[in-house]
Amino acid sequence: MVYYLLVVAGLAVSLLLYMLYLAFQVNVKTHTFPVEKMRPGKQVHLFFISDIHRRKIDSKLIHSLMGKVDIVIIGGDLTEKGVPLHRTEYNIAQLKKMGDVFYVFGNNDREVGEQNLIQLLEKNDVHLLVNKSVELIIDGTPIRLVGVNDGFSGKVSIYDAFQEVREEDIVIFITHAPAYFNNAKKVSKPHLLLAGHLHGGQIRFGPFGIYENGAFKEKEQSAELVSNGFGTTGVPLRLGAKSECHIITIYGE
């Protein structure tokens, strides 16, 4: 009996250690998607990361990606309660090595104090997309980034966010929660939609989890990415929903 209890305890500890290992993996997923409006041969490379929470971004990851992306997009939950601001600033500094950084609020971000976080972002020249858009010209390609506030801790206004979008724009919609994808598609036709928040369920047993596993899905004239996120929330454990960040290349055929 004691032997079997020891075996069970050993298996449980091994599983927990494995789940801890999975939670701190660094997985970079790559996706490509053709955009009809882009001129043939043109490419734009985006780095998307969401749900960093308590993690510290490894400099090895950044150095492996430098020169490979045009802009960086943070899809919310950059931080959470209990995370020191200096760690968040370190992560921002790491991401900025790759290019200009654009950010939308997540539901946990304001736990560190909204003004504290805004001051930190502004100090480090991070562009806040709070129910607004910004136009970028990347290698001659007009890109319109559209971002909305977090709906759990702030007010979302899809109308304000898309107000300056023009017909000729290549539109990338960014929200922390993918629940706003449908709202965005009612007022515009985004070419790419990005979100996180769900962590892929974080702990899954085969096909079973509290949320769907993250995925990149191509649809008619558009693509949607819901990321499993980089960090964890609640417990620093993962199973069946690997941590991830993304390089998305949109290109003209």
Side-chain angles (χ1 to χ4, degrees), residues 215-248:
F216 182 84
K217 298 179 181 179
E218 290 192 34
K219 303 197 173 184
E220 187 178 354
Q221 302 298 316
S222 69
E224 299 178 3
L225 169 64
V226 180
S227 176
N228 282 347
F230 191 69
T232 57
T233 188
V235 292
L237 302 172
R238 280 187 180 270
L239 186 67
K242 290 184 176 181
S243 65
E244 59 191 27
C245 52
H246 310 262
I247 294 180
I248 309 123

Side-chain angles (χ1 to χ4, degrees), residues 11-66:
L11 290 172
V13 170
S14 297
L15 178 61
L16 285 172
L17 290 174
Y18 178 62
M19 292 167 71
L20 184 66
Y21 162 75
L22 292 178
F24 289 92
Q25 273 191 327
V26 176
N27 299 297
V28 182
K29 288 194 170 182
T30 58
H31 317 277
T32 58
F33 177 67
V35 174
E36 203 172 82
K37 286 186 178 180
M38 288 184 71
R39 295 203 305 272
K42 292 292 184 179
Q43 294 185 347
V44 175
H45 307 282
L46 316 169
F47 180 74
F48 180 70
I49 188 168
S50 70
D51 304 282
I52 298 171
H53 290 286
R54 310 188 73 86
R55 283 193 73 173
K56 188 176 180 180
I57 297 175
D58 193 335
S59 60
K60 291 180 181 178
L61 168 65
I62 302 303
H63 288 304
S64 71
L65 299 177
M66 286 178 66

Side-chain angles (χ1 to χ4, degrees), residues 26-246:
V26 176
N27 299 297
V28 182
K29 288 194 170 182
T30 58
H31 317 277
T32 58
F33 177 67
V35 174
E36 203 172 82
K37 286 186 178 180
M38 288 184 71
R39 295 203 305 272
K42 292 292 184 179
Q43 294 185 347
V44 175
H45 307 282
L46 316 169
F47 180 74
F48 180 70
I49 188 168
S50 70
D51 304 282
I52 298 171
H53 290 286
R54 310 188 73 86
R55 283 193 73 173
K56 188 176 180 180
I57 297 175
D58 193 335
S59 60
K60 291 180 181 178
L61 168 65
I62 302 303
H63 288 304
S64 71
L65 299 177
M66 286 178 66
K68 298 180 180 179
V69 300
D70 297 302
I71 60 171
V72 175
I73 299 171
I74 304 173
D77 280 358
L78 169 64
T79 185
E80 65 175 34
K81 184 178 180 180
V83 177
L85 288 174
H86 66 79
R87 185 187 303 168
T88 304
E89 186 164 26
Y90 169 86
N91 284 337
I92 292 170
Q94 291 287 79
L95 293 172
K96 279 190 64 67
K97 291 177 183 177
M98 294 190 290
D100 286 343
V101 178
F102 299 83
Y103 160 87
V104 296
F105 274 107
N107 58 296
N108 292 116
D109 286 322
R110 289 182 169 93
E111 294 171 359
V112 299
E114 182 173 355
Q115 288 307 311
N116 291 335
L117 183 56
I118 288 175
Q119 288 174 10
L120 184 64
L121 294 166
E122 290 178 344
K123 172 187 170 185
N124 288 277
D125 298 319
V126 174
H127 305 272
L128 281 71
L129 297 175
V130 182
N131 301 325
K132 62 183 285 190
S133 70
V134 61
E135 184 184 38
L136 308 174
I137 305 296
I138 301 174
D139 191 23
T141 301
I143 303 290
R144 174 75 63 172
L145 298 183
V146 181
V148 292
N149 204 352
D150 168 63
F152 295 89
S153 56
K155 181 181 177 182
V156 175
S157 176
I158 296 290
Y159 172 78
D160 288 342
F162 281 91
Q163 194 169 22
E164 296 182 355
V165 172
R166 302 170 303 176
E167 181 66 29
E168 63 269 25
D169 289 335
I170 296 168
V171 179
I172 298 171
F173 176 66
I174 310 147
T175 171
H176 181 58
Y180 292 103
F181 281 0
N182 286 336
N183 293 18
K185 289 186 285 188
K186 288 177 182 177
V187 300
S188 185
K189 295 180 180 179
H191 298 89
L192 178 63
L193 300 94
L194 305 173
H197 179 55
L198 302 181
H199 294 233
Q202 193 163 306
I203 297 174
R204 309 180 58 83
F205 297 93
F208 303 104
I210 58 172
Y211 299 114
E212 285 187 24
N213 219 334
F216 182 84
K217 298 179 181 179
E218 290 192 34
K219 303 197 173 184
E220 187 178 354
Q221 302 298 316
S222 69
E224 299 178 3
L225 169 64
V226 180
S227 176
N228 282 347
F230 191 69
T232 57
T233 188
V235 292
L237 302 172
R238 280 187 180 270
L239 186 67
K242 290 184 176 181
S243 65
E244 59 191 27
C245 52
H246 310 262

